[in-house]
Amino acid sequence: MTRTFTNPVINENFPDPFVLRMGEWYYAYGTNGGGNDVPVQRSRDLVNWSFVGNALAGQPRWARAGLTWAPEVMAFAPDRYVLYYTTRDTLSDRQCLGAAVATRPEGPFTDSSERPLVCQADLGGSIDASPFRDTDGQRYLLWKNDGNCCNLSTGIYLQKLGADGVSLVGTEKLLISNDALWEGAVVEAPSLHVSGGYYYLLYSGASYDNETYAVGYATARTLTGPYTKAPDPVVVTSGQVVGPGHQTVVTDGAGQTWLAYHAWTLGAVGDASGGQRSMRLDRIGFQGGRVLFGGVTLTPQPVPTP
C-alpha cells in the first residue's frame, strides 16, 4: 500500500522554510520563533519532522537580536556549512544579511563577522538570502532589497560567492523588480532552480499577511538573465490555504522535485490574528521554461521517496 501524507507537514508556526538535503536526512530551517533565532527540524522523508534545536549560536556584534528571518544553508565541504540569514543591523537600523559557519547542518552556527555580508541601507536594507550552486560548481547568493519597508521599490539581486562562502566577489546584478500588478510593492524570497537549459527564478510577491501573497517565477537561458516573468503567479491562495509563499525546491531520493512553502490557515490569517504559517509540501515540475504546479493541497498525497 502506498504511504500518504496530508498537509501541513510541520503543523506549527514555521515561516520562511528552507529545506536542505544531506545524505539520508532533510533539515528544515525557519524564521525566529519559540525562543529560537533559527529553529531547525529534521526528517528522513520530508513528511515526519522532529525539532532539533536552535541552529544559530548567537548574534554577531553588529546585530540586534529578535528579528532573525529566512535562514538558508549551503554545504561547502563535509564539515563546513554556511547559514545565510537576516537580522537587524544596529548601525543602519535596517534588516541586513549575515553568514554563520558550522561543522554540522544542525549547527551551532557562529558568525564572527564585524559587519553584515550585505546591507543595502539606502535601499531599505537586504533580506531573504538564498544560496545557489550553478552547473559548473560556482556558487552565488540571491537576496532582496527591503524597499517596501520605506516606500521604495524592491528587487532580486545575484552576486558570486567567494570560495569560503562568507564573502562576495564582483558586483551584484539586479535580476527582477516589482513591476507586475499582482506583486504589489513586493518581490522577495528568491529561490533559483536550473533544469533542461533554463534557469527558473521562483519568488514571492504581494502582502505576506493576507490572501494576496503568492509565488511567481521568471525564466532565463543564462544565469544573469535577462529574466522573463510568467504573467501570473503559480502558487496562490485556495480554499483553506491562504497566502502561500517563501518557497524552496527540494529533490527527493527518486529525483522528484517538491515545493516546500508556508501558508496561513483560513480563520487565523495574519500576525494580528495570532495565526501561524505552517510548512507545506507539494509536487512541482519544470519543463521547457514552464513551472508545472498542480495547486496547493489538503488531500492525501504519496509520501516522497527517501
Side-chain angles (χ1 to χ4, degrees), residues 26-28 39-43 50-55 104 106-107:
Y26 299 92
Y27 295 86
V40 56
Q41 301 210 25
R42 187 169 66 175
S43 172
S50 58
F51 178 70
V52 176
N54 184 9
R104 302 182 304 167
E106 62 266 40

Side-chain angles (χ1 to χ4, degrees), residues 159-250:
Q159 190 168 349
K160 186 181 293 186
L161 278 165
D164 59 3
V166 296
S167 60
L168 292 166
V169 178
T171 58
E172 75 271 12
K173 168 75 172 179
L174 177 64
L175 302 183
I176 62 170
S177 297
N178 62 305
D179 54 12
L181 183 62
W182 75 265
E183 299 163 351
V186 177
V187 290
E188 62 185 13
S191 53
L192 196 56
H193 182 78
V194 60
S195 176
Y198 286 90
Y199 291 89
Y200 297 86
L201 175 60
L202 286 83
Y203 64 95
S204 299
S207 298
Y208 84 96
D209 58 353
N210 62 43
E211 71 281 355
T212 65
Y213 204 55
V215 178
Y217 73 95
T219 58
R221 285 293 201 168
T222 62
L223 175 64
T224 56
Y227 280 83
T228 301
K229 291 181 180 179
D232 300 300
V234 290
V235 187
V236 299
T237 292
S238 178
Q240 299 289 315
V241 182
V242 181
H246 209 106
Q247 70 299 318
T248 181
V249 177
V250 59

Side-chain angles (χ1 to χ4, degrees), residues 74-76 80-84 98-101 117 131 138-141 160-169:
M74 176 172 273
F76 281 78
R80 182 177 176 82
Y81 299 85
V82 179
L83 167 73
Y84 302 96
V101 179
L117 178 62
Q138 177 61 54
R139 301 165 198 260
Y140 297 83
L141 191 69
K160 186 181 293 186
L161 278 165
D164 59 3
V166 296
S167 60
L168 292 166
V169 178

